[in-house]
Amino acid sequence: MNNEKDSKVIFDNLLFEIHALENHSRKLEFDSSERNKIADESKEYINKYLEVLPGLKAFTKNDLTELKAIKVEDNGKPFEQLLSILQNEVDQAGINSASGRHLGYIPGGGIWSSAIADFLAAAANRYAGISYSSPGAVIIENQLIKWLCSIIGYPASAHGNLTSGGSTANLTAIQVARDSFGINAGNVRRSTIYFTAQAHHSIQKAFHTTGLHEAIQRIIPMNSNFQMDVSALNEKITQDKNEGLNPFLVIASAGTTDIGAIDQLDLIADICSRYNLWFHVDAAYGGFFMLVDELKEKFKGIERSDSVVMDPHKSLFLPYGSGTVLIRDRNKLLASYSHNAAYMQDSLDSDELNPADCGIELSKHFRGLRLWLPLHLHGLDVFRANLQEKILLAQYFYRSIKEMGFETGPTPELSVVLFRLPAEEKNQLNKNLLNALLEDGRCFFSSTLINNEFWIRCAILSFRTHLAEIDLALQMIKENVVKINK
Ligand SMILES: Cc1ncc(COP(=O)(O)O)c(C=O)c1O
């Protein structure tokens, strides 16, 4: 009897606590008036920001005192306070990567329609990892992958994965290459990989993560256009084969970060098929220029590769967080990433490939929507026009800066131009110029070292960069040359 009474008391207490916690927990769901207020304030903030953006500096140094002082506390803070920190200490410090005057590194995009897609995807929170969970989300992602494969010219057997960016995409491709060739602890030290010094450093990170840093890395020399020297590649592979080594992977670039060089993909494909090697192309920056008919020829041979990386957050102007890896033979992708677990047994079979079987992520952001919505909303033409415009702007900048007496790198293959002041003490002088440009901040430039020589880079890829921004950049360079010579 007593036991029954105790049990009832325990049960009542339990219910009392659950009700009390529920009252509190429910506060995580804003009601519609709170949602409207925050959404309106956010919308107004972004609208104002986009209105003033063309006049904002592209690079700003700022003390982030309020941001550094803020602490996570038991009670919430007013939205206005948080938005104000975002406005003053996040969106106005460092490189303004939303600005059309961002001309450094590889500029990102940030089209508004994609931001809205992120909002919709996150608020509805569809689980895009497996078809059983969200068949619609998975169809969207798989349709996009098919479309991306069609840009490359891959066969129907190809598939891929929408990743967080180019680094994770390169990592995925390199892992699939490693697995397909059975590279393991027993043979890695006599296995060889070929690439140039222009390969992006995410490739080195991928080697490290996949254990391929223990393989033999052959840095192939380049020709005067910073393309892989194909004869040198052929020679090195032959030599390695003759020495009993195990060549298995060639990594080419279709748009290098430094200067936008595109390797001779068709010739490299010949070599890879002759020796039966995995042919990977890093087209993270350059890939979407293939949408422009006139530029397609430059990428000839990419359709013969085994894997490709291309980043919608670069040459499709999406906000950061969007890369793509495409693998010619989907079975190889699945062999690396498809795994089962008892707790996944309820996932019904589906005709669709599950994104979770095609990459490292299980739970993942429904990032397909941030690409799907803009593509359908705007149509492809406007993306093409933007890409073509950036190519022409790069040619315009290249000619203009030359006319201003600057030394330049190679004629731009895509939309990156290298330039520097000619002088005896070139490196120091150009470092001084870059510092003056950063101090000025109206446009943002970055620099690089080519054969240990300092070059300033003008990378044109923001969808907000038009002729006015490039004219301002040229004017600003002129003014700062005068300044450093005073
Ligand atoms: C050619 C190339 N590959 C890979 C990457 C890495 O991409 P992410 O920064 O998206 O990881 C970059 C970044 O600029 C790049 O230019």
Side-chain angles (χ1 to χ4, degrees), residues 7-26:
S7 159
K8 177 149 184 358
V9 170
I10 291 172
F11 206 72
D12 285 349
N13 282 345
L14 196 58
L15 281 178
F16 178 80
E17 266 189 73
I18 288 173
H19 283 308
L21 283 172
E22 178 174 334
N23 283 339
H24 204 173
S25 306
R26 280 184 177 277

Side-chain angles (χ1 to χ4, degrees), residues 53 55-60 94 96 99 101 438-443:
L53 183 61
L56 291 182
K57 283 189 167 192
F59 183 69
T60 328
N96 187 343
S99 167
R101 300 177 189 176
L438 291 176
E439 192 64 38
D440 178 315
R442 281 173 291 167
C443 296

Side-chain angles (χ1 to χ4, degrees), residues 221-260:
M222 292 174 284
N223 63 22
S224 57
N225 289 324
F226 297 90
Q227 294 169 306
M228 187 183 281
D229 177 336
V230 185
S231 320
L233 173 69
N234 195 39
E235 241 169 66
K236 198 73 205 157
I237 295 171
T238 317
Q239 195 184 340
D240 285 345
K241 283 237 169 220
N242 290 341
E243 286 175 14
L245 297 174
N246 177 36
F248 78 101
L249 171 61
V250 178
I251 298 172
S253 304
T256 60
T257 316
D258 263 348
I259 49 172

